[in-house]
Amino acid sequence: MAAPDELYCWEGDSGLPTVSTDCLVVLAYAQFAGAPLKLHKISNPWKSPSGSLPALRTNQKETLNRPSDIIIHLRKQKYNADYDLSAKEGADSLAFISLMEEKLMPALIYAFWIEPKNYVDVTRRWYAEHMPFPLNFFLPGRMQRGQLEKLRLLRGNESLEAGEELEKELFREAAECMNLLSQRLGSQKFFFGDSPSSLDAYVFGHLAPILKTKLPNGKLQQHLKSLDNLTNFCTNILLLYFPRDGRESSSQKTSSQPECGDFDHVPNKRRKQFLSVLVALGAMLSYALLTGMVSIQHVQQEMLEEPPDLLTLGSHDQEEEEDS
């Protein structure tokens, strides 16, 4: 029997199985289709086969990263959540997925990665706390720059920057997209009846982070909560397909994405921060002392052998400066 494919994705929080939209899409589809994947939830993307998340390593040692490519691969392996869809339903599914990529994804990127207070207080804090040292010092910033470039590409504007007008435009388009999704879902359990499809996976992956993450600027969440059927849709999928994550979230009083500075009261994480800083300072101090001791011993030995003249001292000091 062939070994199962291995899926690498970001670990979860706030009652979600993973904090990443792309990872949520893949996880949800795999659950809907019954794909037997070996799951690795990690907080270090450099541990994945491709250095990014999500990543699917097939039993043929091929690595896939894009959710669409991973879903196509699972379909080829006979794990097809869209098997019972008609041709019209398949076309509708593609249309709504394209709509979300065009109208909802830009607002998601802005809300989590570009909006200053949301990024500083929640997104950067979460990744900096969960990534290992020293990646947590530079990788969140690199990820933010990558998301900004993605947003500029989606909007077709290379000089696009954060601002009130941009926020209004993106959030307005996202609200319109959510309204259309709400109308299409209606009173159904899933978008095409009683069984979930790839469209349900994409909608869940885009909406669940909005619903479950507490952001200082929560305008998208406010609008989503006004659409009861979409809110229930996300909640039902979490209960049906990811019940363990929901139970863990409700049993934890302290979230990894807290509000109002609760992060500072998590003793274990503060201890890790403190130890990381001590290790870094100790390494730098040891290096400085080591190099200084070698230089001092060398000078003292020369002084005992013969008193150097001023020219020799000047050239020796210059060599030390160049060496340091």
Side-chain angles (χ1 to χ4, degrees):
M1 182 177 179
D5 295 340
E6 298 183 57
L7 178 64
Y8 295 77
C9 65
W10 286 102
E11 62 185 26
D13 205 342
S14 301
L16 296 174
T18 174
V19 296
S20 160
T21 289
D22 286 346
C23 293
L24 271 177
V25 171
V26 174
L27 273 180
Y29 183 87
Q31 286 286 91
F32 297 163
L37 302 178
K38 183 177 180 180
L39 182 61
H40 303 275
K41 290 186 179 183
I42 59 179
S43 58
N44 182 358
W46 289 6
K47 286 188 175 181
S48 83
S50 62
S52 61
L53 300 170
L56 181 76
R57 183 166 61 189
T58 70
N59 53 25
Q60 302 298 319
K61 304 306 178 184
E62 180 185 10
T63 301
L64 305 172
N65 289 103
R66 294 178 43 164
S68 57
D69 293 337
I70 295 174
I71 289 175
I72 290 172
H73 168 78
L74 293 178
R75 286 173 178 166
K76 291 179 180 178
Q77 304 302 311
K78 310 302 182 184
Y79 300 107
N80 188 357
D82 296 339
Y83 182 80
D84 293 327
L85 298 186
S86 66
K88 182 181 183 306
E89 289 172 336
D92 289 345
S93 178
L94 292 176
F96 275 105
I97 291 173
S98 297
L99 178 68
M100 283 187 286
E101 291 293 322
E102 181 183 353
K103 301 296 185 181
L104 190 53
M105 177 56 75
L108 269 174
I109 294 174
Y110 188 91
F112 283 87
W113 291 98
I114 311 301
E115 203 282 335
K117 192 166 182 59
N118 289 352
Y119 172 68
V120 171
D121 291 355
V122 177
T123 307
R124 185 178 68 181
R125 175 176 288 182
W126 190 91
Y127 283 100
E129 271 302 297
H130 287 75
M131 287 180 180
F133 175 84
L135 297 185
N136 55 347
F137 281 98
F138 66 88
L139 204 50
R142 181 186 295 180
M143 293 169 65
Q144 186 201 33
R145 291 189 292 273
Q147 291 294 328
L148 178 58
E149 289 302 314
K150 182 178 179 179
L151 178 60
R152 288 171 173 171
L153 182 63
L154 288 171
R155 303 298 294 181
N157 184 350
E158 296 182 358
S159 60
L160 182 144
E161 296 291 345
E164 185 176 348
E165 290 301 319
L166 176 62
E167 178 182 312
K168 287 182 179 179
E169 181 180 353
L170 294 178
F171 286 6
R172 175 181 56 80
E173 293 181 359
E176 292 174 356
C177 179
M178 286 189 274
N179 291 341
L180 290 174
L181 290 171
S182 177
Q183 293 173 13
R184 178 63 183 83
L185 178 63
S187 59
Q188 300 179 108
K189 186 176 182 180
F190 300 108
F191 277 85
F192 298 110
D194 294 329
S195 299
S197 65
S198 60
L199 176 57
D200 297 279
Y202 273 93
V203 175
F204 172 75
H206 285 73
L207 295 185
I210 299 174
L211 179 65
K212 302 295 289 185
T213 307
K214 297 177 181 179
L215 297 174
N217 182 346
K219 296 176 183 177
L220 286 179
Q221 187 185 75
Q222 292 173 8
H223 186 78
L224 175 58
K225 286 186 174 180
S226 70
L227 304 171
D228 291 339
N229 61 343
L230 287 183
T231 301
N232 293 334
F233 167 83
C234 294
T235 302
N236 289 337
I237 288 179
L238 286 170
L239 292 174
L240 288 171
Y241 295 95
F242 305 100
R244 179 179 178 182
D245 299 282
R247 287 198 302 268
E248 289 178 352
S249 174
S250 61
S251 64
Q252 292 175 353
K253 294 182 180 180
T254 304
S255 171
S256 296
Q257 293 180 335
E259 292 182 299
C260 304
D262 289 342
F263 166 88
D264 294 334
H265 300 290
V266 185
N268 290 335
K269 294 181 178 179
R270 295 295 292 175
R271 188 180 303 116
K272 290 179 182 178
Q273 268 193 327
F274 182 68
L275 290 176
S276 297
V277 173
L278 282 182
V279 170
L281 289 176
M284 289 187 291
L285 182 59
S286 299
Y287 177 79
L289 288 174
L290 180 61
T291 55
M293 290 173 61
V294 170
S295 300
I296 291 173
Q297 290 174 357
H298 182 67
V299 172
Q300 289 177 342
Q301 184 177 0
E302 286 186 351
M303 292 177 64
L304 289 173
E305 290 176 354
E306 58 179 19
D309 56 22
L310 293 177
L311 180 59
T312 306
L313 270 177
S315 62
H316 181 73
D317 290 343
Q318 185 176 359
E319 290 175 0
E320 285 190 333
E321 290 175 359
E322 291 174 355
D323 291 341
S324 61

